[in-house]
């Protein structure tokens, strides 16, 4: 008790002797009955050597036995008076009591450590569980803040796992999960954490990574390891996983207290990316495969605009002949508080089905008109285009809503183009209630979006008050480098014949742009010309390129 310095060294030496107790009857007796022993220079060689090494004439020792294992030694020696020839009952009782208390303390410590381990690890695979993963994720983000590095998260969901359980039983399913856990561990770096998050979902934490590419490379190794077949209960089984990745760097200055929230967001981003991967592989929409998918998104979308969760991005449109930016398309994104940034394909169909498109559309329209008015006030005479669904076109008061948005922003109607996706619904709506004619009478432009993928034809466009057609990106990407594309050339030519402006979407190469220029296509947009960004960034780009206007 209270040993330090050479006292601790003495205890370690005696413990070392005790581990070879078979060589000493005295130590064998100590281990056998746990009774204190007096060790003096009259004893065997090991005792004399030990006492001489520490300058002692005698000591009393009792071993601390915890769960039938040697846990330590209680020692007493006489510093100011001679040692007795034998241990009296009081000293024996005191030493025995101290050893007993120490053994209980060790047992309790082991129990607490085991309870802590069980609380932080999955009992089936032995991997860290969600609680431990989230703790380590916080540490990884704190490290990223200190060093300027990044942290990554891989979300892995085993495909068709329910089929394994149903076909071979839950015992086989457990074996599969244990094998997967081992293979995930073999695919990652030594400082990474593989955790079982829930059911057949695993999450891998990647601290201290340089780039998102590094995370993707580790994800590729995970996929390769899982591709090897398993032998489970005499059956050959192949498994694979959908994997989503997300990376996060240092937080802005002064936000170190937001590490927990940043960790949850990183997890959510990786989870969403995983579900997107699943949806893409199945040819389904995200809402169909998300847990509580449709109901969750339908519920959360209500009031999203008022909560500031809907973000309007702007992608530039350039004049093909001059390469000057002349317009921008407004594109909505949903910054979901848990699922991260959602693209329109993830929530617009639900909004249309549940009468939420009016709320979403009104917000986007108002934001787009305000942004365009601010550009014009700053000396940039740009137009803005906004996507409008057939549901919005058919709703009462939509024309009045458009006029109100223009008036409140102070934007000339000619600077606004409404893009309507080509469909049977669009044609029926415009013919039956004249909504497109009402909108055109305001002075706004009407564009047929994704032309060539729906049900209309150029021959039918003369029935509609259309001012523009947009060539779908699926056609643009097929443009040959030599510029030959009879289909697109036909659209451009016939569009001009009907007095329509032609815009090409999805331009990603100089060869595509050159081909469109040779065909006489007026406008183009795509990643080659600029990615969608929020209004402040778009405005900054306008200021940078002010000489182009």
């Amino acid at each position: 008790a209270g040993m330090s310095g050479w006292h601790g060294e003495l205890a370690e030496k005696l413990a070392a002797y005790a581990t070879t107790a078979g060589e000493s009857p005295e130590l064998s007796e100590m281990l056998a009955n746990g009774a204190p022993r007096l060790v003096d220079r009259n004893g065997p060689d090991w005792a004399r050597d030990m006492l001489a090494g520490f300058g002692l004439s005698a000591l009393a020792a009792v071993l601390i036995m915890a769960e039938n294992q040697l846990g330590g030694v209680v020692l007493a020696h006489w510093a100011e008076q001679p040692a007795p020839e034998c241990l009296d009952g009081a000293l024996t009782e005191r030493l025995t009591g101290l050893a007993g208390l120490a053994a209980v303390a060790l047992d309790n410590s082991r129990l607490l450590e085991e309870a802590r381990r069980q609380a932080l690890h999955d009992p089936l695979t032995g991997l860290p569980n969600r609680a431990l993963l989230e703790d380590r994720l916080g540490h990884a983000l704190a490290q990223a803040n200190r060093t300027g590095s990044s942290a990554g998260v891989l979300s892995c969901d085993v495909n068709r796992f329910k089929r394994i359980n149903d076909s071979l039983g839950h015992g086989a399913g457990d074996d599969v999960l244990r094998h997967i856990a081992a293979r995930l561990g073999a695919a990652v770096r030594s400082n990474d954490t593989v955790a079982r998050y829930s059911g057949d979902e695993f999450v891998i934490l990647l601290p201290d990574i340089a780039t998102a590419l590094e995370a993707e490379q580790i994800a590729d190794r995970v996929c390769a390891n899982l591709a090897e077949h398993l032998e489970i209960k005499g059956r050959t089984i192949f498994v694979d996983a959908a994997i989503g990745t997300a990376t996060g760097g240092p937080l802005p200055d002064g936000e170190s207290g937001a590490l927990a929230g940043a960790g949850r967001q990183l997890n959510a981003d990786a989870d969403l990316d995983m579900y997107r991967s699943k949806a893409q592989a199945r040819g389904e929409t995200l809402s169909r495969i998300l847990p509580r998918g449709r109901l969750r998104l339908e519920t959360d979308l209500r009031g999203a605009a008022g909560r500031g969760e809907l973000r309007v991005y702007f992608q530039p449109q350039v004049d093909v002949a001059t390469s000057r930016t002349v317009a921008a398309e407004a594109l909505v994104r949903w910054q979901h508080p848990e699922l991260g940034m959602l693209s329109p394909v993830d929530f617009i169909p639900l909004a249309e089905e549940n009468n939420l498109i009016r709320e979403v559309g009104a917000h986007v329209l108002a934001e787009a008109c305000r942004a365009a008015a601010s550009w014009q006030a700053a000396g940039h005479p740009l137009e803005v285009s906004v996507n409008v669904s057939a549901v919005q076109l058919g709703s009462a008061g939509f024309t009045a809503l458009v006029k109100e948005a223009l008036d409140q922003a102070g934007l000339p109607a000619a600077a606004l183009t409404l893009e309507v996706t080509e469909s049977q619904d669009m044609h029926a709506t415009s013919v039956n209630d004249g909504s497109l004619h009402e909108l055109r009478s305001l002075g706004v432009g009407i564009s047929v979006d994704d032309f060539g993928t729906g049900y209309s034809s150029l021959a039918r466009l003369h029935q509609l008050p259309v001012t523009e057609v947009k060539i779908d990106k699926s056609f643009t990407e097929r443009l040959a480098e030599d510029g030959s594309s009879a289909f697109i050339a036909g659209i451009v030519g016939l569009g001009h014949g009907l007095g329509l402006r032609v815009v090409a979407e999805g331009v990603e190469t100089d060869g595509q742009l050159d081909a469109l220029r040779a065909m006489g296509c007026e406008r183009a947009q795509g990643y080659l010309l600029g990615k969608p960004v929020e209004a402040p960034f778009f405005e900054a780009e306008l200021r940078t390129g002010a000489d182009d206007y």
Side-chain angles (χ1 to χ4, degrees):
M3 288 190 301
S4 62
W6 68 269
H7 294 82
E9 187 179 348
L10 177 60
E12 289 177 3
K13 179 167 285 193
L14 185 56
Y17 280 120
T19 59
T20 57
E23 302 174 7
S24 168
E26 291 85 353
L27 291 178
S28 296
E29 182 182 347
M30 289 173 68
L31 286 172
N33 59 31
R37 291 283 302 180
L38 181 66
V39 180
D40 59 25
R41 296 192 178 185
N42 296 321
D45 292 342
W46 70 265
R48 289 194 298 272
D49 292 344
M50 184 180 69
L51 293 172
F54 289 99
L56 300 176
S57 59
L59 60 82
V62 59
L63 304 181
I64 301 170
M65 304 300 294
E67 295 185 351
N68 295 320
Q69 293 184 344
L70 178 62
V73 184
V74 176
L75 296 176
H77 71 93
W78 291 262
E80 299 179 356
Q81 56 186 345
E85 295 182 359
C86 62
L87 300 179
D88 60 25
L91 183 55
T92 297
E93 183 177 350
R94 179 172 296 181
L95 290 172
T96 302
L98 286 173
L101 290 173
V104 170
L106 287 174
D107 284 339
N108 288 340
S109 177
R110 286 195 180 96
L111 289 174
L112 287 172
E113 181 61 28
E114 178 62 20
R116 180 179 179 277
R117 193 196 70 79
Q118 291 179 359
L120 297 176
H121 289 78
D122 169 51
L124 176 65
T125 63
L127 294 176
N129 62 12
R130 179 182 301 198
L132 182 54
L133 173 77
E134 291 175 352
D135 179 70
R136 292 184 180 177
L137 179 53
H139 288 294
L141 290 173
Q143 179 185 5
N145 260 16
R146 292 191 301 270
T147 64
S149 62
S150 296
V153 170
L154 307 183
S155 180
C156 311
D157 187 77
V158 182
N159 292 325
R160 302 178 300 280
F161 182 71
K162 184 177 183 299
R163 189 179 304 170
I164 295 173
N165 269 339
D166 293 344
S167 301
L168 303 180
H170 289 276
D174 289 347
D175 287 343
V176 168
L177 290 176
R178 282 189 284 264
H179 279 83
I180 289 174
R183 291 190 175 182
L184 293 177
V188 301
R189 305 168 304 173
S190 60
N191 62 329
D192 297 333
T193 295
V194 179
R196 185 184 179 200
Y197 213 58
S198 63
D200 59 352
E201 184 177 355
F202 296 83
V203 175
I204 301 172
L205 167 62
L206 311 173
D208 191 24
I209 59 173
T211 64
L213 177 60
E214 189 175 356
E216 293 171 2
Q217 290 170 341
I218 296 174
D220 290 341
R221 289 206 303 270
V222 169
C223 288
N225 274 24
L226 293 180
E228 296 292 330
H229 72 275
L230 301 174
E231 294 293 336
I232 304 293
K233 298 187 182 301
R235 299 283 297 273
T236 299
I237 297 175
F238 290 89
V239 297
D240 64 339
I243 298 180
T245 65
T247 56
L251 297 175
D253 292 342
E255 293 191 14
S256 58
L259 289 175
R264 286 191 296 270
Q265 185 61 57
L266 200 57
N267 254 333
D269 290 346
D271 206 40
L272 182 64
D273 190 53
M274 181 269 292
Y275 280 113
R276 283 199 182 109
S277 175
K278 275 183 175 285
Q280 184 177 14
R282 299 178 185 179
E284 297 179 331
T285 62
L286 182 66
S287 61
R288 287 184 59 84
I289 67 169
L290 272 174
R292 301 187 296 114
R294 295 177 63 85
L295 179 61
R296 175 180 188 175
L297 293 183
E298 290 167 11
T299 302
D300 294 349
L301 188 55
R302 295 183 186 276
R307 296 191 299 270
E309 295 172 6
L310 296 184
R311 309 287 181 81
V312 180
Y313 283 55
F314 296 92
Q315 185 172 29
Q317 290 183 359
V318 304
D319 182 290
V320 174
T322 65
S323 298
R324 293 168 54 189
T325 300
V326 292
E329 180 180 1
L331 302 165
V332 65
R333 304 286 187 268
W334 181 12
Q335 182 65 56
H336 191 283
E338 296 180 7
L339 299 176
M341 192 68 77
L342 301 181
S343 70
V345 72
D346 295 328
F347 64 92
I348 290 299
L350 290 178
E352 292 176 337
E353 294 173 16
N354 294 276
N355 274 337
L356 298 174
I357 193 62
R358 293 175 175 84
E359 173 189 341
V360 174
H363 173 77
V364 176
L365 180 64
E367 290 295 310
C369 288
R370 278 196 289 268
S374 70
W375 301 335
Q376 296 201 354
H380 307 299
L382 271 66
E383 302 170 14
V384 68
S385 61
V386 178
N387 290 279
V388 177
S389 73
V391 176
Q392 290 172 276
L393 283 176
S395 64
F398 181 68
T399 302
L401 177 68
V402 173
K403 186 176 186 306
E404 180 183 5
L406 290 168
D407 291 343
Q408 288 187 351
L411 181 70
L416 173 66
T417 296
L418 300 178
E419 297 188 13
V420 184
T421 301
E422 179 189 5
S423 67
Q424 289 175 318
D425 289 339
M426 179 203 79
H427 185 75
T429 298
S430 63
V431 170
N432 294 337
D433 63 19
S435 56
L436 287 180
H437 292 275
E438 291 180 2
L439 291 166
R440 186 71 187 103
S441 68
L442 293 178
V444 302
I446 305 295
S447 176
V448 180
D449 194 15
D450 300 337
F451 187 82
T453 63
Y455 302 92
S456 296
S457 67
L458 284 167
R460 295 168 64 185
L461 290 182
H462 74 279
Q463 304 174 38
L464 306 174
V466 174
T467 59
E468 175 186 278
V469 292
K470 295 188 75 174
I471 301 171
D472 185 66
K473 62 182 180 181
S474 63
F475 300 114
T476 304
E477 66 186 12
R478 298 176 192 170
L479 276 172
E481 292 299 327
D482 62 3
S484 61
S485 176
F487 183 80
I488 293 181
I491 293 177
V492 173
L494 291 173
H496 290 169
L498 292 173
L500 306 177
R501 181 173 60 205
V502 182
V503 181
E505 294 183 297
V507 178
E508 297 185 354
T509 69
D510 290 322
Q512 292 168 352
L513 186 61
D514 291 340
L516 293 168
R517 184 178 293 113
M519 295 176 188
C521 181
E522 286 92 345
R523 295 183 180 179
Q525 71 183 83
Y527 276 21
L528 175 69
L529 308 167
K531 296 181 179 180
V533 294
E534 290 189 88
F537 298 100
F538 191 86
E539 292 166 6
E541 292 174 0
L542 291 180
R543 290 192 297 271
T544 302
D547 293 340
D548 294 335
Y549 298 92

